[in-house]
Amino acid sequence: MAKTKPRSLRPASRAPRLTGLITVFLLGFALAFVLGTWTSGPDATERRIAELEQAEAQRDVELIGQLNELARGSVDRLTPVLQAMAKAAPLSGDTPRGPLVAAEVNEWRAVLSAEVKRYEETPSSGNGVNVARTAMRTAVRQLATAADGFAAAAAAAGPLGGDLVTLAGHQRDLALQTWSVAALQLDVINVDAGNGHVHVQLPSGGDSGTIPLDSEPEGSQRR
């Protein structure tokens, strides 16, 4: 009987070991990537958010300064008009009305038309600045409408003229109330920005329903 030749043992294949090494390497690389993203990603994101917030705050500081100057100029320009309107339609019902002169009313309308244009620009800003600017713009437009009402009253005859003066006076009062809200908002954002109080109220008298001025002195800061 022929003897069976023993089989020679083949060396174990390297493929499984190579595959295992590759798998371990890929898992290690993936883990390192995830850990790197987890440790560095949020920090980078937070830094970027902080940079954007700082840039927005700086932009608002500049826009607050610009709005302060615009509001102060409005007070200077509108005070003579409001004083004249107060004679035509007094804030107190017990005070006699003064006569309306068409040429003078047209001067009011010219002043207010120019003021409306000054508030047409709306630069991008934070909500606090937007609220103050929008309220001021609305108040100025209401005053312009009141001036148009006074002009209509000056051109009307008889009792109609008196009724139109009354309506124009009410519109003026609404404008003053709106401006007082805007002035308070401007004061708040100035305090928050570290500028202290900025009082830009328009003259209104005690019966117009406006928000009273802060009792603290100008330049002080709330704590």
Side-chain angles (χ1 to χ4, degrees), residues 59-151:
R59 178 201 62 193
D60 281 357
V61 167
E62 296 174 359
L63 292 174
I64 289 171
Q66 295 173 12
L67 190 55
N68 289 341
E69 293 303 313
L70 179 59
R72 291 189 183 104
S74 294
V75 172
D76 291 341
R77 291 182 290 268
L78 296 180
T79 293
V81 174
L82 289 169
Q83 290 172 341
M85 283 185 177
K87 294 177 181 179
L91 294 167
S92 173
D94 297 332
T95 306
R97 292 175 176 173
L100 274 178
V101 179
E104 183 181 10
V105 174
N106 287 333
E107 292 178 359
W108 304 349
R109 297 175 72 187
V111 171
L112 286 163
S113 177
E115 205 64 27
V116 167
K117 292 180 180 179
R118 290 187 176 93
Y119 284 89
E120 287 179 350
E121 185 180 358
T122 308
S124 176
S125 58
N127 290 335
V129 181
N130 284 338
V131 170
R133 185 185 297 275
T134 301
M136 286 180 174
R137 181 191 304 117
T138 302
V140 170
R141 288 176 176 175
Q142 288 174 328
L143 279 176
T145 301
D148 291 340
F150 282 117

Side-chain angles (χ1 to χ4, degrees), residues 8-45:
S8 59
L9 296 178
R10 295 181 179 178
S13 174
R14 297 180 179 177
R17 288 188 294 172
L18 183 59
T19 302
L21 290 173
I22 293 174
T23 302
V24 171
F25 173 77
L26 292 177
L27 288 174
F29 179 79
L31 180 61
F33 176 78
V34 171
L35 289 175
T37 303
W38 180 73
T39 56
S40 64
D43 288 343
T45 302

